[in-house]
Amino acid sequence: MEALSHLRIVEIGSAAAASYCARLFADFGATVEKIEPPQGDPLRRTAPLTPKGQSAWFAFLNFNKSSIVLDPRDAGAPARLTELIANCDVLIDGRDVDAAECPAFDLAALRQKNPGLIHLDVSWFGREGPYAKFEATDSTIRALTGLIKLVGPVEGPPMHAPDFQTGIFAGLWGFIAAASSVFGRMQDGHGRSSSLSIFESSIAVTEYTMFESFVHGDIMRRIGVNRFWPTFPVGIYETKQGWLGVTTVTPAQWRAFCEMLGLHDLRDDATLSMGVDRLQRMEEIEGKFIPRLKQRTAQEWFAEALRRKIPIVPVPGIGDLIGDAEKRSRGAIVPITIGNETGFTAGSMQRLTGTPPRRGGSVPDIGEAQPVMAHPGGAAARAATPAVEATKRLPLDGVRVIDFSMGWAGPICTRTLADLGADVIKIEAIQYPDWWRGVDRRPAYVLERMYEKSVRYCIMNRNKRGITLDLTRPQGLQLAKRLLADADLVVDNYSVEVLPKLGLGYEVLHQLNPKLVMMSMSAFGTGSIHRDCRAYGSTLEQGSGLPSVVGDANGPPVMSHIAFGDAVGGLNGCAAVLTALIHARLTGKGQFIDLAQIECMMPFAAPWITAHSIDGRVPAKYGNRHPDFVPHGCFPCAGSDNWIVVAISSDAMWPKLCKLLGRSDWVADEALKSATARRRIENEIEAAIAAWASARTPDDAMNALQSAGVASGVARLPIELLADPQLHARGFIQEIDRAFIGRHPQPSMPFRETDRPFEIRSAPPTLGEHNHEILAGMLGLSAAEIDQLARDGIIGTEMLMEEQLVTTKKRVAG
C-alpha cells in the first residue's frame, strides 16, 4: 500500500503552491482530482514550453493527477463540485490567487455535514494586513522577503532568479499544514482549516539572515555576484572545464583550500583565518586563487577536495542533471509523459524506503482522468475517521521525536514538528553541542556562556526540550536507546556514517522499536557515491542546477541566496516524516527515510529539466526579464541602492501601468496589448518605469503601483523584515523571553488555523536544561544516578573548553 493511497484530494483554483501541495500527496498514492475550467488551468500556458506548446512548469506540478472540467456556465457544475468536495479528505484551495472560474459552493455547509473535512486556503499575503489586497507574482514576493536585494553586482540592479520558487516554498508548507491535519484527524476526528500565506512561506529561507541582522545590525549589503556576507569565499568560479562551487566556512577549510591551490602565503596569513576578515580583501584573494582554479577541471578539483574534506562541488548544467545516472536511480529524476511527448522531470525528494513515492507519471490533458492505481488486495480503502472529540488538540500532540540534528536543516524540520505539538527531545553533548551555538571553545567564549546567546540557535529550537548525552560512552548510548524505544521519530543531519558507527543505525533501532520512523538528512544520501562530500546549504544550491538558469545570458551561473539549501532540505524533511508518520499510525510500521538535501533543491530547476529533456536546447537566461511578462524587472528608486520589482503579469494590468506613467499613447496603441507585442519596445518601457520610480522612495512607488493595480514589491534587506508592516499586522513576528538573551523576536509558521499564528509555547532549551526532567520523569533515574552521570561527564549543562575536551578524551581513552 502506498503511504497516502487512502486519501482523496480535491484541488481548486489556480495557484502553483496549491498544485505543488497536491502533487506531493499524489506522489505517495493519494487520489488527486484537479478542477479546471474548459480552457484549462492558466498555469498550462506558463513558460518554458515544450516543442508542442505544453508548459513544463505545469507538467512538473501536476503529473499523476486527474483533471475534471467544470464549466461555471453549466447549471449542474456547483452541485457536481459540492459532491466531489463532500467525498474528499482534503480540499486544497488556490482561488484567492486565481479563481480559474471555479463554480461556487457553500464550504460552511459542507464542513457542517463533514466535520472531518480538511481545508487548506492559499493566498499571496493572508486575508488581513496592509498587503492583503496587493497584486503579486513570484518575483515581487521574493523582493519583499529579502531574497533579491543582496544578490548581484554592487552597482545593481539586484539580480534575481526566474519564477517558480515561491510556489515550491508555499507548496511544501501547504503540504505540512494539510498532512499534519490528516495526522491530527486520525487522533481527534477534527477536520482542520488552515490559511497559508505565500509571502510568509518564503521567509523560511531568509529568516536566518533576518535574525542575524537583529544581532549584528544593518551591515549586510550586496557585495558582488556570488559573494555573500558573512564569509568568503562562498561562490561559483570558472575552472579549466566547467564551473566549481566553493564554500569555506571554518579556518581548517580555508587552510585546506589554500593548500590545495598551493597558496601558502594565504594559508599562513593569520589575519585571514575567519571569513569576515577575508571579506575585507576579496579582490586580492580572488586575484590569487581564480587563476589557479583555471589550471584544472571542475571534476579534478572536486576529487581533490573530497580527499581534503573541503565543501566543493561541480556546478552542473541542466543537461548534466538529466544525464546523472545516480539521480535517475534514486528517483530524483523521473520520466514524465505530456500528451505524446516524453521527457524527464524532478521526482519526489521525500525518499521513504518502505513506502517509496511514485517514479514519474503522466500529466493529464484537460478533462483526463488518471487510471485507478492498482493496490495489493484491491483498491485502497478510505481510512475511517474517529469520532470528533470535544477538544481539538494540536495536530501532532502525542508524537515523540528524538532530535539528533544541529545547525539549520534538521532543526527547522523538528522545530516545525514541535510547533505543531510534537514532544521534541533535542540531544546534544557538552563535548559537542549544536554547532549553531558556536564552535568557539576559547575560555572567554565558554565562561561567558556565549553559546547560550546565539539567536540563530534560538529561532531553530523553540518548543523543544533539551538533554545532553555523550553518545560515545556506553552509559549515554544506553540512555539514548531507552528514549528511542518509545519514540515515534528520530531525525539526524550528521554525515551518513555517524549514528551507525555509534550503534544507532536503522537496523538496530528497527529491532528495538518496529514502529519507529528514522530520517537521515545527509547532503547527498546514504548510498550516494558522493556521500562523504562535505556540504553546507550553499553547496547544495551550487550542485542543484538552479544557478545555471540564473543571471544574464552570457554570464556565469549565479547563486541566488546563501545557505538556500538548508531551509529547503528541512521543509522537505518535515514533509517526508509526516507522510511516514501517517503510514505508521495506520499500519504500526516504521521505516527509514533517506533524504538527500541536494536533491531537495532540484524542483527549483524542474521546468528547465523537463523542457531540456524534450527539446535538447540550453535553457534561455532572461536576467531580470521574464519569458511571459512584459515589462518585468528591478528598477531604481530615489536614494542610494533602493529598488523595486515591477511585473505586468496580465494584459489587463498593462493599461493601468501606462496611466500611472502618463503614457496614454501606449494605452491607445492596439499593437501593445499583448506581452509578445510589447517585447519589441521593452527597453523603452523599462526606461519609462525607471524614470518614474527614481523620483520616488521604494515604498511610495510600491503603494502607487499597487493602488493602480500593478504587481510590485520593494526589494527589502533582511533587517527591514523585522519592521515589515504586513508581518507585524498579522503577528508573524512573536517575542519571547529566554535566559541569557532576554526578549527576542521569533518567526511564526506561515499557516494558521485561527486569526493568530501557532503559539510559541516554550523558549529554546539551554544546554541540558531538561536533563533531570527527562532522565527522572521519563526514564525513572534516581537523583543519585543523575548526579553520577554529571560527575562522569555523560550529561551536563556547560560546554567544555578546548583543554577540558582534550583532558576528557584522554581520561576516557585511558
Side-chain angles (χ1 to χ4, degrees), residues 341-609:
E341 296 176 294
T342 58
F344 294 92
T345 194
S348 171
M349 306 309 153
Q350 290 87 50
R351 194 165 181 264
L352 279 63
T353 58
T355 56
R358 296 174 178 176
R359 291 204 169 199
S362 61
V363 181
D365 289 335
I366 299 172
E368 179 187 11
Q370 293 284 355
V372 176
M373 299 296 291
H375 297 277
R382 299 279 299 283
T385 301
V388 178
E389 294 183 1
T391 303
K392 184 171 70 172
R393 297 180 279 174
L394 285 169
L396 300 186
D397 186 20
V399 173
R400 177 158 295 153
V401 182
I402 306 302
D403 182 9
F404 289 113
S405 71
M406 297 185 181
W408 188 355
I412 194 175
C413 167
T414 53
R415 180 192 82 182
T416 303
L417 300 173
D419 286 349
L420 290 166
D423 177 18
V424 177
I425 299 175
K426 182 178 180 71
I427 297 183
E428 302 177 82
I430 57 173
Q431 296 83 0
Y432 299 105
D434 188 325
W435 57 73
W436 263 26
R437 290 182 181 273
V439 294
D440 191 337
R441 293 184 176 275
R442 290 173 295 184
Y445 189 89
V446 175
L447 293 173
E448 293 178 22
R449 305 288 285 271
M450 296 302 294
Y451 56 89
E452 296 291 9
K453 301 174 185 180
S454 167
V455 171
R456 64 180 179 177
Y457 162 83
C458 286
I459 64 171
M460 291 299 158
N461 291 287
R462 61 173 184 239
N463 287 334
K464 303 178 185 180
R465 295 193 287 170
I467 183 174
T468 51
L469 290 174
D470 184 353
L471 300 176
T472 66
R473 316 258 299 275
Q475 305 99 309
L477 186 62
Q478 287 305 312
L479 290 170
K481 286 184 175 180
R482 290 178 63 185
L483 289 172
L484 290 161
D486 193 39
D488 298 284
L489 170 67
V490 57
V491 174
D492 89 271
N493 64 339
Y494 301 140
S495 298
V496 295
E497 74 282 354
V498 172
L499 286 186
K501 282 184 176 179
L502 289 169
L504 295 174
Y506 179 67
E507 293 77 12
V508 173
L509 298 185
H510 177 69
Q511 293 298 317
L512 181 69
N513 179 356
K515 71 179 177 66
L516 183 69
V517 173
M518 181 176 188
M519 180 169 67
S520 168
M521 299 178 64
S522 61
F524 289 85
T526 57
S528 171
I529 58 173
H530 303 311
R531 57 180 283 166
D532 296 324
C533 178
R534 296 297 190 269
Y536 291 94
S538 49
T539 319
L540 305 176
E541 183 184 358
Q542 290 159 352
S544 70
L546 178 61
S548 71
V549 297
V550 181
D552 297 325
N554 299 314
V558 175
M559 293 172 62
S560 54
H561 195 268
I562 193 167
F564 199 175
D566 279 303
V568 173
L571 296 182
N572 275 275
C574 189
V577 298
L578 286 170
T579 300
L581 287 171
I582 290 170
H583 178 260
R585 186 55 58 98
L586 277 175
T587 65
K589 296 178 181 178
Q591 61 181 300
F592 182 68
I593 302 171
D594 177 19
L595 191 89
Q597 292 188 55
I598 196 165
E599 294 173 359
C600 295
M601 286 294 299
M602 288 172 56
F604 296 99
W608 297 279
I609 293 172

Side-chain angles (χ1 to χ4, degrees), residues 429-431 468-473 475 786-796 800 808 811-812:
I430 57 173
Q431 296 83 0
T468 51
L469 290 174
D470 184 353
L471 300 176
T472 66
R473 316 258 299 275
Q475 305 99 309
I786 294 172
D787 288 344
Q788 186 62 50
L789 288 170
R791 286 193 293 273
D792 291 341
I794 306 297
I795 66 172
L800 296 187
T808 300
R811 185 177 72 244
V812 172

Side-chain angles (χ1 to χ4, degrees), residues 238-278:
E238 191 173 7
T239 68
K240 183 178 180 180
Q241 181 181 335
W243 297 88
L244 193 69
V246 176
T247 300
T248 59
V249 174
T250 68
Q253 289 164 357
W254 166 246
R255 289 194 298 271
F257 178 66
C258 293
E259 191 166 299
M260 181 178 75
L261 296 174
L263 296 170
H264 301 116
D265 57 329
L266 295 181
R267 180 198 63 186
D268 298 335
D269 188 338
T271 65
L272 297 178
S273 64
M274 302 303 292
V276 289
D277 298 320
R278 297 193 292 273

Side-chain angles (χ1 to χ4, degrees), residues 138-139 142 147-148 151 159-163 165 546 549-551 560 564 608 623-624 632:
D138 189 280
S139 58
R142 282 183 285 128
L147 287 169
I148 286 178
V151 181
M159 182 181 291
H160 56 87
D163 279 357
Q165 294 189 3
L546 178 61
V549 297
V550 181
S560 54
F564 199 175
W608 297 279
N624 285 346
H632 180 282

